[in-house]
Amino acid sequence: MSNLIIDAAKDKVFFTLMTDNKSYTTEYINNRENFDKLTILIMEFLKSNNLNISDICNIFVNQGPGKFSGIRASLATAKALSFANEIDLYGFSSNQVINEN
């Protein structure tokens, strides 16, 4: 079971991939250029960790509070990936994350 976490509510865009026994994280600058290619960045992140989108069971996306543009881009991307690949989608709040846990 693999979970993808997308968080673009703060100054950085974070992707975290959690598998049964490993965890991978990468970050990008939170800017419009990266919003425009968010799906490409996610696919490259999965590929760099030897996974495909079909290996993902759940997507978790930060719903805020935070930067509006980042939240909007990450929600739209997560919903599209979820819908197109029949992956369960869950939202979480920035307030639920304490010290990145």
Side-chain angles (χ1 to χ4, degrees):
M1 174 185 262
S2 297
N3 298 309
L4 176 63
I5 301 168
I6 303 170
D7 186 349
K10 298 180 181 154
D11 294 329
K12 302 270 185 180
V13 176
F14 291 96
F15 301 139
T16 301
L17 185 60
M18 299 175 74
T19 62
D20 292 327
N21 56 0
K22 293 183 182 180
S23 177
Y24 308 97
T25 301
T26 191
E27 65 182 50
Y28 299 92
I29 297 171
N30 191 338
N31 62 21
R32 180 177 169 98
E33 182 180 314
N34 286 335
F35 298 152
D36 291 343
K37 59 181 184 178
L38 203 56
T39 304
I40 294 168
L41 294 174
I42 291 170
M43 294 305 176
E44 288 175 353
F45 174 60
L46 293 174
K47 185 178 179 181
S48 70
N49 292 295
N50 300 316
L51 289 172
N52 293 317
I53 193 70
S54 61
D55 298 321
I56 303 298
C57 297
N58 302 301
I59 298 174
F60 295 88
V61 63
N62 190 341
Q63 300 178 110
K67 294 187 174 193
F68 176 76
S69 297
I71 295 168
R72 182 183 63 196
S74 61
L75 283 172
T77 302
K79 285 180 86 172
L81 290 172
S82 170
F83 181 77
N85 297 285
E86 299 180 3
I87 301 171
D88 291 332
L89 178 63
Y90 302 95
F92 66 92
S93 169
S94 295
N95 300 333
Q96 294 174 311
V97 180
I98 299 170
N99 296 328
E100 297 183 15
N101 289 316

